[in-house]
Amino acid sequence: MKNLIRLNLLIVFVTILVTACGTTGNGVLYTERSIVPTDVKYQRVAVLPNRLPLNLQDPERWKKFNWNVMKTRFEKEGFQVIDYSTSVEMFNKSGLPLEDTKISRDKYAELAEEMNADILVFPYYGTSYRVTGITDKNNYEVVGSLQVYLAHQNDFMTRIDVEGNDYFNTYNKIVPVAGLLLTLLVQAVAEDPNVIIAVSLITPLASIATLVPYLKPANKRYEKAFRLAINKGLDQFFAKYTGRTTTAVPAKVIPAATTTTNAPATKPAATPSATPATEKPLSSLTIEELQKMKQQAIDAKDFKKAAAIKEELDKRIKK
């Protein structure tokens, strides 16, 4: 009988500890339709601080932690990630946290050029805690949105929304009721008082067992949820945008270097081709002509003109 009681106690402990916890995560990818995924080439990445925390305690901690999560993943996929201190410093100098307008598009381009980055990742994070259900499920939930800016197109190429949850169940409603019913049942059929005493101990012991998950700090649970959720989102990103090349880097370095002063006439030769087209209203041009003009404007670093052309392209696509 003693062995049977011990086995029952062991079953209670194992069942509670095994089924009490878990971690879930997923991500959803939204893409800019005017940017063809196979045309996207990038090598250097800047992950910047989040500007507007959704609902976040200790934001500095999560900026740094999630930056490390993304750095590890991007480097694992073969990309270069600009260091954290440089990213924070350059982002703070850019003035981007103060505005989100069409004018800020030029600032995105300037920041990418100054950092020599092919893509900029702007994250938003949030954390929350709640208890749900009959099993008293403790949910340590995280959400995030990663907006990815592509310097070569002077446009946001995609947004990745992620969510994760690290949870455990305490069964605070179930354990006392189940324990009471079991004790009453044993009292009705058992003759040995020792058995009744042993069974009556199951409820308090099981209640103590449900406290074990609380020993793990909340921040560790949020870390686990963020790590899984971000990687789930990046799974979709890398599946969609696989291009690895350094072509975008020299394209930005060569004009900045200004090879010599002997050839001022040869560089502007690229702009005249765009001049005749600008005399016509944008609405009268074909999509192919607009796309070509947009690329010419970006190459000439005329980001205001590129933004105006993009607006016209967006109207056409929505129609």
Side-chain angles (χ1 to χ4, degrees):
M1 182 62 72
K2 286 183 180 180
N3 289 336
L4 180 60
I5 294 170
R6 287 172 186 165
L7 180 61
N8 287 337
L9 289 173
L10 180 63
I11 290 170
V12 170
F13 276 105
V14 170
T15 302
I16 290 175
L17 293 176
V18 168
T19 62
C21 58
T23 308
T24 60
N26 62 72
V28 180
L29 188 77
Y30 301 94
T31 59
E32 168 57 49
R33 289 182 293 177
S34 66
I35 297 177
V36 181
T38 52
D39 292 343
V40 173
K41 307 299 178 187
Y42 59 100
Q43 184 62 32
R44 282 173 59 82
V45 180
V47 180
L48 300 157
N50 57 313
R51 296 176 292 170
L52 301 170
L54 300 174
N55 178 23
L56 197 63
Q57 294 180 350
D58 197 2
E60 290 304 318
R61 173 193 177 92
W62 298 118
K63 286 178 188 178
K64 186 66 184 288
F65 177 82
N66 290 329
W67 180 87
N68 273 310
V69 171
M70 284 185 271
K71 174 182 182 289
T72 300
R73 182 61 189 276
F74 272 106
E75 289 183 343
K76 183 180 177 184
E77 299 290 334
F79 301 100
Q80 302 168 20
V81 179
I82 296 166
D83 68 278
Y84 182 75
S85 58
T86 300
S87 299
V88 171
E89 183 183 350
M90 299 291 286
F91 180 71
N92 290 340
K93 283 168 56 180
S94 71
L96 281 167
L98 306 177
E99 59 179 68
D100 191 11
T101 64
K102 289 181 182 178
I103 300 171
S104 65
R105 189 64 61 93
D106 294 347
K107 291 190 176 182
Y108 294 128
E110 289 167 10
L111 180 59
E113 185 176 10
E114 198 172 353
M115 297 184 76
N116 196 21
D118 300 312
I119 61 174
L120 305 177
V121 182
F122 294 91
Y124 300 75
Y125 304 122
T127 58
S128 61
Y129 168 77
R130 62 194 179 108
V131 180
T132 58
I134 194 172
T135 61
D136 292 302
K137 184 179 179 183
N138 290 251
N139 302 277
Y140 294 82
E141 298 170 325
V142 303
V143 293
S145 183
L146 311 176
Q147 293 185 311
V148 185
Y149 171 84
L150 179 63
H152 184 60
Q153 292 285 341
N154 187 31
D155 203 358
F156 282 91
M157 59 190 278
T158 188
R159 190 183 89 215
I160 311 164
D161 289 347
V162 301
E163 60 180 11
N165 184 18
D166 190 79
Y167 66 88
F168 64 88
N169 299 292
T170 53
Y171 307 102
N172 290 330
K173 299 184 185 76
I174 297 174
V175 168
V177 174
L180 177 62
L181 292 174
L182 180 61
T183 302
L184 292 174
L185 178 63
V186 170
Q187 285 176 346
V189 298
E191 298 177 358
D192 188 347
N194 292 326
V195 173
I196 296 173
I197 293 170
V199 170
S200 66
L201 292 174
I202 291 178
T203 300
L205 288 173
S207 297
I208 292 170
T210 60
L211 297 176
V212 172
Y214 287 106
L215 297 177
K216 185 175 181 178
N219 279 340
K220 293 296 180 184
R221 293 191 177 278
Y222 286 128
E223 284 179 5
K224 194 172 181 182
F226 266 129
R227 188 181 292 110
L228 180 62
I230 289 171
N231 276 295
K232 287 285 187 181
L234 290 178
D235 284 344
Q236 296 191 40
F237 176 80
F238 291 123
K240 189 84 173 178
Y241 304 100
T242 57
R244 292 175 177 82
T245 180
T246 52
T247 25
V249 176
K252 288 178 280 193
V253 174
I254 292 170
T258 30
T259 327
T260 60
T261 47
N262 305 346
T266 51
K267 245 342 188 179
T271 41
S273 61
T275 312
T278 53
E279 294 172 1
K280 296 182 183 178
L282 294 178
S283 57
S284 67
L285 300 173
T286 65
I287 289 179
E288 290 73 18
E289 287 173 325
L290 288 170
Q291 288 172 336
K292 186 177 178 183
M293 282 177 59
K294 179 187 170 188
Q295 190 57 55
Q296 288 172 341
I298 292 169
D299 292 341
K301 295 187 170 44
D302 187 350
F303 299 118
K304 289 183 181 178
K305 179 179 171 184
I309 298 170
K310 180 189 179 303
E311 223 175 290
E312 179 64 27
L313 280 167
D314 289 343
K315 287 179 191 172
R316 304 277 187 94
I317 291 169
K318 284 176 185 174
K319 287 178 183 177

